[in-house]
């Protein structure tokens, strides 16, 4: 089974991913974890190019293709081998990020992103996608707080620096994806503390796991 986490900046998705991986491993599952962009040695080099705030001139198409370059490498090196061993895969972002950020917010459109997905990844899709939803202003405030005094986060701030309207379009993009594929993509209320949000996450993952086993 392949599970992905999605969300806008500072939505808390990476914390939820960590909590889920811990819970799954404690329950005896073998879990491969992927991060996008990133996830492999090559992917992390691509990530550095993508997120460097100095690269303000990057064209949307370049951005899209680099996201898929990182993803194709993660599929070959991490995701497909794990799924064929029968392990679980949990990914911090996947193609729904590209639909929301490059398709909706940058304006490239869903059709173009879906075509690029088919070219790079064929029919590979998560079985379950958890989209952690939080008002954009709240998430951005959290992300800025996290970035302060954190050299690593500051070197990856190109998207955090986009205007508020960009992030509102990302959130609207996620809602559109969830409406189009309500079975796979579940919006999770990201408000409250991480334990409360995790209860909502587990309430969706647990039944999906038993369904997948039967
Ligand atoms: P991430 O490491 O998840 O950052 P954060 O935890 O701050 O949300 O993702 C890095 C950035 O890359 C994030 O701003 C979203 C962006 N992104 C895209 O624009 N398209 C994509 O396909 C992916 C995977 C990420």
């Amino acid at each position: 089974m392949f599970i992905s986490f999605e969300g806008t900046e500072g939505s808390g998705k990476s914390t939820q991913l960590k909590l889920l991986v811990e819970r799954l491993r404690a329950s005896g599952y073998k879990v491969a974890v992927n991060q996008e962009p990133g996830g492999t040695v090559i992917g992390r080099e691509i990530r550095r190019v993508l997120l460097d705030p100095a690269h303000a001139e990057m064209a949307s198409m370049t951005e899209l293709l680099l996201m898929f370059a990182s993803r194709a490498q993660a599929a070959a090196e991490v995701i497909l081998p794990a799924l064929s061993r029968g392990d679980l895969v949990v990914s911090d972002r996947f193609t729904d990020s590209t639909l929301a950020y490059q398709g909706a917010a940058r304006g490239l459109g869903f059709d173009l992103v879906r075509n690029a997905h088919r070219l790079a990844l064929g029919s590979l899709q998560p079985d379950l996608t958890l989209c952690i939803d939080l008002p954009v202003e709240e998430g951005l405030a959290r992300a800025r707080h996290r970035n302060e005094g954190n050299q690593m986060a500051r070197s990856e701030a190109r998207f955090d620096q986009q205007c508020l309207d960009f992030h509102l379009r990302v959130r609207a993009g996620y809602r559109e994806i969830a409406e189009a594929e309500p079975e796979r993509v579940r919006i999770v209320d990201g408000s409250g503390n991480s334990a409360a949000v995790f209860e909502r996450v587990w309430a969706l993952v647990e039944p999906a796991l038993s369904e997948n086993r039967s």
Side-chain angles (χ1 to χ4, degrees), residues 9 13 36 47 67 71 93 98 101-102 146 159:
E9 310 304 304
K13 69 177 167 51
E36 300 204 2
R47 178 183 177 89
M67 293 295 177
R71 190 164 302 136
R93 300 190 180 278
T98 322
Y101 283 77
Q102 283 68 46
R146 174 188 66 193
F159 285 93

Side-chain angles (χ1 to χ4, degrees), residues 7-10 13-14 35-37 47 51 63 67 71 92-99 101-102 143 146 156 159-160 166-167:
T8 46
E9 310 304 304
K13 69 177 167 51
S14 306
Q35 183 197 22
E36 300 204 2
R47 178 183 177 89
L51 303 187
E63 196 174 271
M67 293 295 177
R71 190 164 302 136
D92 193 340
R93 300 190 180 278
F94 198 66
T95 293
D96 297 305
S97 283
T98 322
L99 286 165
Y101 283 77
Q102 283 68 46
R146 174 188 66 193
E156 293 195 339
F159 285 93
D160 300 6
F166 176 88
H167 296 286

Side-chain angles (χ1 to χ4, degrees), residues 135-164:
V136 162
E137 292 87 342
E138 224 175 290
L140 283 175
R142 275 199 206 169
R144 295 214 167 102
H145 183 71
R146 174 188 66 193
N147 291 0
E148 274 167 25
N150 179 336
Q151 188 55 45
M152 176 69 185
R154 263 186 288 151
S155 72
E156 293 195 339
R158 196 167 63 87
F159 285 93
D160 300 6
Q161 291 170 355
Q162 297 294 315
C163 63
L164 178 63

